[in-house]
Amino acid sequence: MEELLRSGAPAGDPATAWARRRDDYRLVGPLNRHKFSVIVVGTGLAGAGTAAALGELGYRVHAFTFHDAPRRAHSVAAQGGINAARARKVDNDSVRRFVADTVKGGDFRGREADAFRLAEESVRVIDHLNALGAPFAREYGGALATRSFGGVQVSRTYYTRGQTGQQLQVAATGALQRQVAAGNVTLHTRQEMLDLIVADGRAQGIVVRDLVTGQIGAQTAHAVVLATGGYGTVFFQSTLARNSNATAAWRAHRRGALLASPSFVQFHPTALPVNAPWQTKTTLMSESLRNDGRIWVPRRAGDDRPANTIGEDERDYYLERKYPTYGNLTPRDVASRAAREQIEAGHGVGPLRNSVYLDFADARARLGKAVLAERYGNLFDMYRDATGEDPYEVPMRIAPAAHFTMGGLWSDYDLMTSIPGLFVGGEAGWGYHGANRLGANSLLSACVDGWFTLPYSVPNYLAGLLGEPVPASDHAAVRQAAADVHARIEALTGIGGSTGPAVFHRELGEILYRGCGVARSAAGLRTAVDEIDALSRRFWSDLRVTGGAGAFNQQLEHAGRVADFLELARLMCLDALDRDESCGAHFRIEHQTPDGEALRNDDDWCFASAWETTPDGTAVRHREPLTFDAVGLATRNYR
């Protein structure tokens, strides 16, 4: 039965909700903090920040990562920058304008109070990361430099050339390692979470597999924080690292944690196009390039001449034509749909006719090559290495690709999921971005969660557990969770089929790109559900996992992740089919304006969907009503 969910945000002015909530939080005294243990899964910006901050405060923290070092977390891949409403450019930016851009950018399908917290804490985030040693770009006079990103008309994005995520991750990892050295954080590397331990109705631990030895083990604690990133690799070809996956979040979901808006997936408009059938992933080119690059296609469909031989009067700068106010800095969902329209209308370029041009000729003439190299040099080098083409001389070729997931584990205003004691941070959560994320808000949301939200809200929860022991290793819930993991591994290795997990993963991605991609339809989604069901039956009857479970076995790792992807993908399609409207990146072709824009239905769908999967596999939708007091509901307009 559907339930209405409460956000837990304080009533009243959302602009002051976070300050009021912090003042109401219960505290744990310094002498009692060492009595509590907290598990943090994931060591990206959200996880590293949470673990380092809680360790600094005096809690006993166990940080888990499946990488060989915490700095290898996928936060390193975010290139362009991190937003902050510091208003240092004198361009009329403000906290309220930041909130308006974020809420509007998410097409009014995110939580308004969360957007205010994001904006308010963004000021502290930049100062904090600067103090940790992040080498932000600076103006000639020494002030931190900013640039613009899609969906805004101000300059609020702080950056470190095209390496922002990498440099912020280095800084955060340094803070984490300091706590490891101090003995406040125990770091567990090459450990993959395979299940959540729920005892006495609370999350009290995790079950992990040592990826080197294959050993299954359990760790218990008073609270668990999941900061395990997004699930974009469900599409097989995505901008995410190949090891990125959904297993930790999905296993928590199967233990009872609700999953919010799983169909809200962002397709990045400036990814490198797929050039060959053997390609296993796409490569992200930072949205920051759209500050100076101009996007165009040939006016004549099928025009296959080299780009530099096509005259200006034969080019269609379609974003500048359709959206003159924002031009090439339209939000990602708008830019991706526009590119898809051009490609499907026969104006695509490149060997497979599946991309559009991103051209820097005008910027080079105006600014000079040296300035472009200073702003984007490593991105240009990466493009040249990947394609063999020099973007200083010829336009880049770009195309939409699966990228960021706005959906994730549902959590309340305190970032606690529907399972008491289980918290979520970063891209694994859902609250800030609605149906579309604005560029440079991802690094920010991870940092706000990790450094300035969870270190407040987790102790508030722990304060009520003083004197409570954690479950022992022989507790019934611990033994059952470990037994379930063993049984699942045995099921995967015991199928004895003829097809490796990568084949199923690739087929799943093809189904999702067709049925639940940039544009969706009721008929296409129903077909996708049927195809996923058929693929799942083949997976569980014909999967081949070579090697054993008691040793290093990447094929077994992949098989477990694909098994979870199959279940997640089905729920994604059901969510997209259920939400009978268009909003942000969820574009149902049945619901569009006469000029092809997304057509929301606020009367019936102004809520966040939060899904439960029952033990028999039935999907049950719950909802959290969304209200907008500071930013009134309005039709998005970037023209």
Side-chain angles (χ1 to χ4, degrees), residues 53-180:
L54 290 175
E56 185 82 42
L57 289 169
Y59 299 94
R60 292 183 290 113
V61 179
H62 291 271
F64 286 82
T65 176
F66 61 54
H67 295 293
D68 54 6
R71 64 172 290 176
R72 291 184 62 84
H74 193 57
S75 294
V76 301
Q79 300 162 336
I82 175 171
N83 284 336
R86 298 170 89 233
R88 302 296 172 87
K89 274 288 187 181
V90 198
D91 56 2
N92 203 20
D93 197 11
S94 66
V95 166
R96 193 163 290 266
R97 194 176 295 278
F98 181 107
V99 172
D101 288 340
T102 299
V103 171
K104 174 184 173 184
D107 216 355
F108 299 89
R109 292 297 177 260
R111 193 186 283 147
E112 186 181 55
D114 286 21
F116 268 102
R117 180 173 64 209
L118 190 69
E120 179 182 341
E121 294 292 7
S122 69
V123 179
R124 284 211 291 167
V125 163
I126 299 300
D127 293 337
H128 180 72
L129 292 170
N130 188 41
L132 288 180
F136 287 114
R138 295 179 181 270
E139 304 288 359
Y140 179 76
L144 299 185
T146 57
R147 56 190 176 201
S148 296
F149 255 60
V152 304
Q153 293 180 295
V154 296
S155 181
R156 68 164 67 108
T157 304
Y158 295 78
Y159 63 96
T160 62
R161 297 185 72 187
Q163 306 173 10
T164 310
Q166 179 177 342
Q167 296 301 329
L168 300 191
Q169 180 67 39
V170 169
T173 299
L176 173 61
Q177 293 286 22
R178 178 176 178 271
Q179 294 306 310
V180 172

Side-chain angles (χ1 to χ4, degrees), residues 17 108 199 280 314 319 321 344 408 423 431 447 459 505 526 532 538:
F108 299 89
T280 58
E314 300 175 284
L319 290 178
R321 169 175 55 81
E344 293 189 349
F423 295 81
C447 290
H505 194 180
R526 293 190 186 97
I532 292 169
R538 282 178 46 214

Side-chain angles (χ1 to χ4, degrees), residues 98-266:
F98 181 107
V99 172
D101 288 340
T102 299
V103 171
K104 174 184 173 184
D107 216 355
F108 299 89
R109 292 297 177 260
R111 193 186 283 147
E112 186 181 55
D114 286 21
F116 268 102
R117 180 173 64 209
L118 190 69
E120 179 182 341
E121 294 292 7
S122 69
V123 179
R124 284 211 291 167
V125 163
I126 299 300
D127 293 337
H128 180 72
L129 292 170
N130 188 41
L132 288 180
F136 287 114
R138 295 179 181 270
E139 304 288 359
Y140 179 76
L144 299 185
T146 57
R147 56 190 176 201
S148 296
F149 255 60
V152 304
Q153 293 180 295
V154 296
S155 181
R156 68 164 67 108
T157 304
Y158 295 78
Y159 63 96
T160 62
R161 297 185 72 187
Q163 306 173 10
T164 310
Q166 179 177 342
Q167 296 301 329
L168 300 191
Q169 180 67 39
V170 169
T173 299
L176 173 61
Q177 293 286 22
R178 178 176 178 271
Q179 294 306 310
V180 172
N184 299 324
V185 176
T186 303
L187 181 62
H188 305 265
T189 59
R190 303 185 181 95
Q191 305 281 321
E192 181 168 27
M193 174 183 162
L194 295 183
D195 213 338
L196 179 73
I197 298 170
V198 180
D200 302 321
R202 296 183 280 119
Q204 298 200 63
I206 61 174
V207 178
V208 297
R209 179 175 182 269
D210 187 307
L211 298 183
V212 177
T213 67
Q215 182 177 356
I216 303 299
Q219 177 69 53
T220 57
H222 292 93
V224 178
V225 177
L226 294 188
T228 50
Y231 49 87
T233 41
V234 68
F235 285 83
F236 186 72
Q237 289 174 335
S238 77
T239 64
L240 279 70
R242 295 295 300 144
N243 265 344
S244 297
N245 65 87
T247 287
W250 187 255
R251 292 291 99 206
H253 172 67
R254 292 309 304 263
R255 288 291 180 187
L258 301 179
L259 190 68
S261 305
S263 67
F264 286 178
V265 177
Q266 182 172 85

Side-chain angles (χ1 to χ4, degrees), residues 57 135 152 208 237 304 374 380 519 524 544 598 611 618:
L57 289 169
V152 304
V208 297
Q237 289 174 335
D304 59 0
E374 180 181 343
F380 280 34
R544 183 190 71 243
W611 291 88
T618 302

